[in-house]
Structure formats: C-alpha cells, structure tokens
C-alpha cells in the first residue's frame, strides 16, 4: 500500500512482484524472470521519466548466504535506490536470483549500450552527453530484516530502511471505518468501531482487512 501510494503521489507507473514468484525449480529461469521484470521497468521509466518497483517478501530470495557470495553473471543491469521492510520467508535455492537482483541494482549508474554509443557521438562533436532523464526507484519489504543478505543493503542498492509499525488506536479506527464502508452489515457497524479497534490492537492493515472480511 505504501509503495502504491508513493507511485500514485508521484504520478509514475508502478510494478510489483512477490519475490517467491522469481523462484523456479529449473536452474536459471528465476534469474530470467528478474531480468525481464527490470527490463520492463526500465522501458516504462524511459517512457514516463521514472518507474517505481516493489518486491514483496524479498527475503524469499535474498536471505543471508552466510558470507558465501554467489559469482556474478556479467551483462545484467538495471536501476534503483531506496527500500522499506515488512514481510517474510526464505528458500535456500535463491543465490542466482539474488545475484541477478544485485546486478540489476548496480546497473543504476551504468550506461546502457545505446547510451554508450550516444556518448561517443557527443564526444566526436566535442560535447558532453546530458544526464539520464529517467530512473527506476526500487522498494522491497520483509518482516525479517535481520535475515536479509548484507550485499543487498549496501550503498547504491536497497540502502535505506523504513520501518512500518502497526497503526495506533486512532489509525485502526480509520482503517476499520474505511473497510466497513465496503461491506454490508445487518445493522450499522460504526457503533462498534471503538470496540473493534481495541480488539484489533497490534494488527496490521492487511490483518484488519482479513478479520473484517471473515
């Protein structure tokens, strides 16, 4: 929700993916999914001046490798900058997907093949190539930030952390009220708003939605 809100406020296209969707039983398929995902994000960014990418449950493929670094695969490139944490679950067959994501993030400052050719043309006429007018802003989420591989949080990658705490009582009342307006009840449920808010102490907005829907 937070990533969508940022995209909506900025007027930029938004892409999201559950990290577990990148995993695959066949070697290399998950890495190809990562490449295609970021390739589409870059295409949108070039068209609209930027794009926001959100990867949920990033720990599913970015859990700590215990200091054993996967070998890089040259040629993978991309763009991003910031990150937020709040969901979880890690599988052990993810080093290739993680390595691919790392190289996609590192590609943020690297020029594409087309940009390198254009830079040479500018150089031939004695001019400096103008800076890139687009970027891909990447966010990710996990409930277990301590389990994330440190390589992912180095400078230039997902190097900013935003902790999202459960809403307080007044926040829960607003969230509950919003969800109640979307469903039919036998009697006005607003009269039970404060009771529901107290009963749902500590719940996240997603948990509140599930409780009301059930």
């Amino acid at each position: 929700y937070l990533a969508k809100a940022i995209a909506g406020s900025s007027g930029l296209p938004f892409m999201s993916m559950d990290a577990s969707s990148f995993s695959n039983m066949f070697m290399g398929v998950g890495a190809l999914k990562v490449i295609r995902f970021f390739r589409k994000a870059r295409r949108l960014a070039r068209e609209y001046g930027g794009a926001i990418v959100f990867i949920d449950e990033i720990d599913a493929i970015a859990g700590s490798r215990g200091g054993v670094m996967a070998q890089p695969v040259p040629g993978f490139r991309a763009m991003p900058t910031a990150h937020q944490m709040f969901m979880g679950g890690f599988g052990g067959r993810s080093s290739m997907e993680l390595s691919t994501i790392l190289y996609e993030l590192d590609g943020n400052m690297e020029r594409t093949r087309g940009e390198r050719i254009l830079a040479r043309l500018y150089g031939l006429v004695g001019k400096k190539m103008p800076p890139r007018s687009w970027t891909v802003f990447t966010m990710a989420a996990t409930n277990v930030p301590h389990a994330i591989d440190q390589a992912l949080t180095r400078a230039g990658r997902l190097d900013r952390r935003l902790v999202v705490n459960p809403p307080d009582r007044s926040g829960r009342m607003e969230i509950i009220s919003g969800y109640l307006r979307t469903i039919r009840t036998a009697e006005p449920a607003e009269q039970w708003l404060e009771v529901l808010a107290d009963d749902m102490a500590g719940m996240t907005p997603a948990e509140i939605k599930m409780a009301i829907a059930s």
Side-chain angles (χ1 to χ4, degrees), residues 4 20-21 23 26 38 63 75 93 96 111-112 120 130 133 137 154 165 189:
K4 285 183 179 179
S20 60
S21 299
S23 300
F26 298 107
F38 278 96
R93 303 176 54 171
M96 183 172 289
R111 288 176 174 174
T112 63
R120 290 179 182 177
S133 60
F137 184 82
R154 290 176 184 167
N165 293 314

Side-chain angles (χ1 to χ4, degrees), residues 144-182:
V144 285
H146 59 278
I148 297 299
D149 195 284
Q150 294 183 1
L152 192 66
T153 57
R154 290 176 184 167
R157 294 174 179 171
L158 302 184
D159 54 9
R160 301 182 187 181
R161 179 175 173 180
L162 175 62
V163 178
V164 182
N165 293 314
D168 58 16
R169 188 173 186 273
S170 61
R172 291 194 301 276
M173 290 180 66
E174 291 186 24
I175 293 169
I176 294 169
S177 179
Y179 285 137
L180 288 177
R181 286 196 293 268
T182 65

Side-chain angles (χ1 to χ4, degrees), residues 105-144:
L105 296 178
D106 287 343
N108 187 35
M109 301 305 296
E110 295 181 12
R111 288 176 174 174
T112 63
R113 181 181 301 177
E115 289 173 330
R116 289 196 297 270
I117 295 174
L118 191 59
R120 290 179 182 177
L121 295 177
Y122 269 93
L124 291 175
V125 296
K127 294 184 179 181
K128 186 176 181 181
M129 181 178 169
R132 181 182 289 173
S133 60
W134 56 271
T135 189
V136 175
F137 184 82
T138 302
M139 302 177 70
T142 181
N143 262 339
V144 285

